[in-house]
Amino acid sequence: MSLNINSVLIHGGVDGDKVTGAVNIPVYQTSTYKQDGIGENRGWEYSRTGNPTRDALEKLIADLEQGRYGLAFASGLAAINTVLSLFKSGDKLVVSDNIYGGTFRILDNVFKNFGITYTIVDTSNLEKLEEAIDDDVKAVYVESPANPLLTITDIKAVADIAHKHGKLLIVDNTFLTPYLQRPLTLGADIVIHSGTKYLGGHSDTISGLAVVNDKDIADRLYYLQNAIGGVLAPWDSFLIIRGIKTLGVRMDRHVSNAERIARWLVDSGYVSKVYYPGLESDPGYEVQKKQADGAGAMISFVLDEKYDYKKFVKNLKLITLAESLGGVESLVCHPASMTHAAIPADIRKEVGIVDELIRLSVGIEDVNDLIADLTQAIENAR
Ligand SMILES: *Cc1c(COP(=O)(O)O)cnc(C)c1O
C-alpha cells in the first residue's frame, strides 16, 4: 500500500519491533553483537557499522525523501564531512553563495587543505551556475531556501545543468524537511539534513542524515560512514524517530505562524526588508511554489535603521536569542556575528548579510504572542 507522507512519518522505515511487538523501535544500546560462529552473524557485528535503532531511522529518512538509501550521523556536519569525503584532491565543488556557515567553514578550513576546492556562485542564477562548471568540478552543492537570506534555487533546473555536464547535485534540505520538499524527486543525487533542526524538532539532539538513490554512491557512503565513524548513537536515533512522528503537525503550525508573521512584518513599518519565499513579492516565490509544498518557517528581516538591533534582541521576552532553528520554540539569531561569522566580512556584505539582519526561526507558540513580543521589543529599541 502506498502511503501519504503523514502516514510515512509514523509508519515508515521499520514499523515497530518485530521480536516483541513494541510499537516503538527499542534503543539498542549495545556496541557489539554475539556471533554464532566464525563468519556467522545475525546481520549485526559492531554498532559503528550498524545498529538496529540507527537502521530504523536510516530507513525512515530514506522513505520520507522517496530515496533508496539513508544514513544517520552524529551531526549535520558529520553528514557533510562524510559526503565531502567522496571527493579527492584536485576536485572542485560549486557552492551556493549563502550556505550554512559551518558548511563554508569545513570547505574553507578543512577540505581545502586536502586539495578539494570550491567556487561560490549565486545558484539562483542558472547562467552563472553553468559558467562556473569546468572539468575539475565534480558536484554542485545547494541549499534551498539558503541560509540566511532564504534565496530559492530551482533544484530541477540545477539538477539538469549538473547532469548535462556529468556532475552530481547535493542538496541540503534542512530548512524544509521532506515534509515540504523532496529534492531526490527533483533530480538531486544526494540529500543532506541537519536532523538537529525540524526533524528532531525539540532542540534536544544533534544529528545528521543523508539519502541517495544510486547504489554505487550509497555503497561509497556506507563505506565512508563506517571508515570515518561519525555515526549517530542509538539513543539519539530513537529521539529523531520520535521527533519525526510529529513533523507533519509541527510543520503545519510552523508554516502558518511564519506566513502570518512575514505578512505582519511587511506591513509593520518596522523593517526595511523581509526575506520569506512565501511572500508573492519574493523573487523566489514562483519557483518555491513549484518545487515545494510550503515556504517553511524561517524568516529573515532587516530592522529599520531607526531601531537598535542589539536592543531589539535584548528586549525579546518570549523569543530566545540562540543559534539553531527548527525547534518548537521561536529563536532569533544575528547571522553576522553568530551562524555566519565564519564567512569573511567582505563576502558577508556582498551577499547581503548586513549587521541589521535578523533571522527568525518561527516556533509553534501562539502567533499572537509572538507578534506581541516582536512589537514590544522593536518599539522599545529606538
Ligand atoms: C545546522 C545546520 C547544519 C549543520 O548541522 P549540525 O547538526 O549543527 O552539525 C547544516 N546545514 C544547515 C542548513 C543547518 O541549518
Side-chain angles (χ1 to χ4, degrees):
M1 191 168 93
S2 124
L3 298 176
N4 293 306
I5 190 143
N6 276 306
S7 307
V8 180
L9 290 168
I10 293 154
H11 298 288
V14 181
D15 192 15
D17 184 44
K18 296 281 175 298
V19 180
T20 62
V23 296
N24 290 302
I25 289 288
V27 180
Y28 283 91
Q29 195 71 40
T30 189
S31 62
T32 192
Y33 306 81
K34 179 176 192 284
Q35 306 200 7
D36 298 321
I38 292 182
E40 289 172 53
N41 63 56
R42 304 179 204 174
W44 309 97
E45 289 170 82
Y46 188 63
S47 277
R48 171 164 29 75
T49 320
N51 173 281
T53 317
R54 193 178 90 219
D55 178 66
L57 172 60
E58 292 177 331
K59 292 198 161 76
L60 175 59
I61 192 65
D63 282 354
L64 288 169
E65 287 287 1
Q66 296 179 24
R68 293 169 65 198
Y69 307 98
L71 301 99
F73 298 92
S75 68
L77 271 163
I80 292 166
N81 183 3
T82 306
V83 167
L84 293 179
S85 300
L86 289 169
F87 304 103
K88 60 181 195 314
S89 178
D91 289 351
K92 197 158 98 184
L93 289 113
V94 172
V95 179
S96 288
D97 68 353
N98 47 94
I99 53 167
Y100 180 69
T103 306
F104 177 80
R105 182 173 54 208
I106 197 172
L107 282 167
D108 196 53
N109 288 331
V110 181
F111 280 91
K112 209 169 73 186
N113 296 336
F114 298 129
I116 296 164
T117 57
Y118 65 89
T119 324
I120 292 180
V121 298
D122 173 2
T123 49
S124 67
N125 182 331
L126 298 173
E127 270 168 38
K128 276 202 192 146
L129 168 77
E130 190 155 18
E131 273 169 30
I133 297 180
D134 61 25
D135 285 351
D136 293 338
V137 169
K138 292 295 178 305
V140 179
Y141 190 109
V142 164
E143 276 178 37
S144 184
N147 199 349
L149 298 175
L150 293 322
T151 322
I152 300 302
T153 292
D154 186 332
I155 296 173
K156 184 167 187 316
V158 173
D160 289 346
I161 292 172
H163 294 160
K164 187 173 101 187
H165 295 275
K167 319 297 183 190
L168 297 176
L169 173 61
I170 305 167
V171 176
D172 182 332
N173 198 30
T174 300
F175 273 29
L176 291 185
T177 81
Y179 185 70
L180 298 177
Q181 175 171 275
R182 289 159 300 279
L184 294 178
T185 68
L186 300 167
D189 299 286
I190 302 174
V191 171
I192 292 175
H193 284 281
S194 168
T196 312
K197 317 295 167 54
Y198 293 102
L199 296 175
H202 296 74
S203 304
D204 55 10
T205 312
I206 301 281
S207 72
L209 298 151
V211 185
V212 302
N213 267 324
D214 182 87
K215 174 87 168 63
D216 291 341
I217 301 174
D219 286 346
R220 277 300 315 272
L221 284 177
Y222 285 123
Y223 181 89
L224 290 166
Q225 180 190 38
N226 182 53
I228 295 170
V231 294
L232 192 62
W235 172 245
D236 298 277
S237 300
F238 172 85
L239 283 175
I240 301 300
I241 293 170
R242 177 182 157 112
I244 286 174
K245 287 182 202 285
T246 56
L247 180 68
V249 286
R250 282 187 288 109
M251 288 313 283
D252 287 346
R253 173 72 82 83
H254 277 295
V255 172
S256 70
N257 279 2
E259 284 172 352
R260 259 286 297 284
I261 291 174
R263 283 178 218 294
W264 171 79
L265 277 170
V266 169
D267 295 337
S268 70
Y270 292 142
V271 298
S272 58
K273 195 152 179 58
V274 179
Y275 297 94
Y276 182 62
L279 293 170
E280 292 81 351
S281 56
D282 191 274
Y285 178 77
E286 290 300 331
V287 172
Q288 178 65 11
K289 219 170 105 177
K290 181 184 75 175
Q291 72 185 6
D293 298 328
M298 298 301 296
I299 300 173
S300 288
F301 58 88
V302 179
L303 205 58
D304 191 274
E305 57 193 17
K306 292 199 289 287
Y307 307 100
D308 178 336
Y309 66 90
K310 287 187 179 161
K311 265 196 203 157
F312 156 71
V313 166
K314 264 204 184 304
N315 290 344
L316 288 166
K317 294 193 168 85
L318 180 62
I319 303 171
T320 306
L321 174 68
E323 306 245 4
S324 201
L325 61 107
V328 289
E329 65 289 299
S330 295
L331 301 179
V332 285
C333 114
H334 181 242
S337 69
M338 295 166 71
T339 47
H340 291 70
I343 298 175
D346 50 330
I347 299 184
R348 255 193 344 245
K349 285 262 148 53
E350 210 179 288
V351 300
I353 307 174
V354 297
D355 285 348
E356 296 75 20
L357 184 78
I358 303 289
R359 191 188 78 180
L360 176 61
S361 169
V362 179
I364 65 171
E365 300 95 335
D366 188 296
V367 69
N368 295 309
D369 292 338
L370 295 174
I371 290 174
D373 193 31
L374 291 166
T375 306
Q376 67 80 20
I378 299 173
E379 285 288 349
N380 295 314
R382 283 180 195 271

